[in-house]
Each structure stands twice: as structure tokens, then as C-alpha cells.
Amino acid sequence: MDWKELEQACAECKKCELCKTRINCVFGVGNRNANLMFVGEAPGEQEDLSGIPFVGRAGQLLDKFLFAVDIDREDVYIANILKCRPPKNRDPLPEEEDQCIDYLRHQVALIEPKVIVCLGRIAAMRLIKPDFKITKEHGTWFKKGNYLMTAVYHPAALLRDPRKKEDMLEDMRKIKQKLLET
Ligand code: URA
């Protein structure tokens, strides 16, 4: 599948119940030749309304961290495990992830980023390992196939607990450094 076919398939997707409540399918945004890809959990309200990932409060905080380590949002690709918003922002159900994950796999295969950063526990458990512990393992590097992977706190978690911001900044600096090395 090329980008056009993939985006079309996603927009028309009815594989799970979330299609009934979505306003927009939130496919992904950014540089399709990016070396760095971020993967979040699922769209929230603002994302569902706009069709663009990470544009709400959490997204604006992510932008600040990107700015802090001199990474341009235009240079990266940002997507989510789920393309449709779960009602009231509940956690994705395993079966919803199972139905949706192939869209993300296709995106990764088309982009071939060097580094994939999971935003939060849900993405890390799905993409790095099922028993991923975000408090203990954020900022740790994992090699999976051709990809270097790590996870950082979800920006929404930083909004709830600003003490985590220091760790986030350190992890983002490590990511920037890794990009420079690779
Ligand atoms: N949280 C996510 O995980 N993804 C978004 O796109 C927005 C908020």
C-alpha cells in the first residue's frame, strides 16, 4: 500500500466500534522521510475534532519539549496506536489495538525512521514489550529489527505530575543526541 491507499483505508475503516463515534480518523502527521517518529496512544477530543495528532494540551506540551531540544515538529512524524478517539478518552481496548495496529505498521514501513519514541506506557507496552514499566524504563534504548526504540512519559502524565518534567527533558536530550549519532 502506498500513502494514498493507506490514508484512504484508514479514513474509511470500520474494523472496530470506534468508527461510530469518531469525528475524524487521526491518521498521522509530519515528515514522511523522518528519522524520528513519535507514537502516542489514541486521539483525544481536540485531535478527533481536527484530525491531527497531539494538538491539544498534551500536544502543546510535547511541542515545548521538542523546542527545548531543538527538534522541529515539521521534521518528525507523529502518529498513534489507535487512529480513532476512544469515548471519554478511555484506554484503548486490546481488540481495538489489534484491529488498528497494521495501519501503524504500514506507516513505519513506509517511513523507515531510525528512531521510534513511544509516548507513554500504552504505546511502549504495544511496541516495545508487554511488561514495559514506564517509571523504571523510560529513556532506555531497545533495538527492534532496524529500529532503535525508546519510551518517554506521555505528555498528559506530565500535565498531571509536573515533577516528571525533569526526566522528560533528560530523555528528550538523549533522543536528540541519538539522532545526531545515527
Ligand atoms: N494523546 C495521545 O496519545 N495522542 C494524541 O494524539 C493526543 C493525545
Side-chain angles (χ1 to χ4, degrees):
M1 259 198 267
D2 63 18
W3 279 108
K4 202 165 161 234
E5 289 163 337
L6 187 59
E7 201 160 2
Q8 180 82 15
C10 222
E12 293 169 356
C13 183
K14 293 195 171 61
K15 289 200 274 183
C16 83
E17 294 285 300
L18 297 181
C19 69
K20 295 182 182 160
T21 47
R22 74 172 171 232
I23 294 170
N24 280 295
C25 161
V26 181
F27 179 68
V29 72
N31 184 343
R32 293 175 172 182
N33 296 309
N35 287 327
L36 175 59
M37 180 168 182
F38 287 94
V39 180
E41 178 180 322
E45 185 182 21
Q46 294 307 314
E47 291 76 22
D48 185 36
L49 288 169
S50 65
I52 303 166
F54 284 98
V55 291
R57 276 183 75 217
Q60 287 163 24
L61 185 54
L62 175 63
D63 290 348
K64 284 189 188 168
F65 280 97
L66 291 173
F67 182 79
V69 298
D70 199 22
I71 293 175
D72 199 332
R73 186 166 157 138
E74 311 279 294
D75 290 340
V76 306
Y77 195 86
I78 307 179
N80 283 302
I81 300 278
L82 292 193
K83 306 304 192 223
C84 297
R85 182 191 181 199
K88 298 187 188 143
N89 299 345
R90 64 156 168 73
D91 283 354
L93 301 175
E95 54 268 32
E96 290 164 353
E97 291 188 8
D98 291 344
Q99 295 293 342
C100 209
I101 197 76
D102 273 349
Y103 296 123
L104 182 67
R105 287 210 184 95
H106 272 102
Q107 287 171 303
V108 172
L110 286 167
I111 297 166
E112 295 188 307
K114 292 200 165 70
V115 174
I116 300 175
V117 177
C118 300
L119 293 166
R121 175 184 66 93
I122 302 262
M125 286 172 68
R126 186 74 207 203
L127 299 185
I128 300 179
K129 52 177 183 160
D131 62 346
F132 194 92
K133 297 279 179 289
I134 193 76
T135 314
K136 224 176 80 195
E137 295 177 289
H138 68 84
T140 307
W141 291 101
F142 297 81
K143 180 92 181 153
K144 293 204 100 188
N146 291 330
Y147 307 111
L148 266 173
M149 303 192 64
T150 189
V152 298
Y153 284 118
H154 194 290
L158 305 176
L159 290 171
R160 288 191 297 270
D161 182 3
R163 289 170 302 180
K164 293 191 167 88
K165 286 184 183 177
E166 236 172 274
D167 282 349
M168 177 67 163
L169 186 57
E170 196 179 311
D171 290 347
M172 292 295 291
R173 286 192 178 124
K174 282 198 246 171
I175 291 161
K176 170 76 181 189
Q177 187 56 37
K178 191 63 92 180
L179 275 177
L180 294 172
E181 287 166 14
T182 50

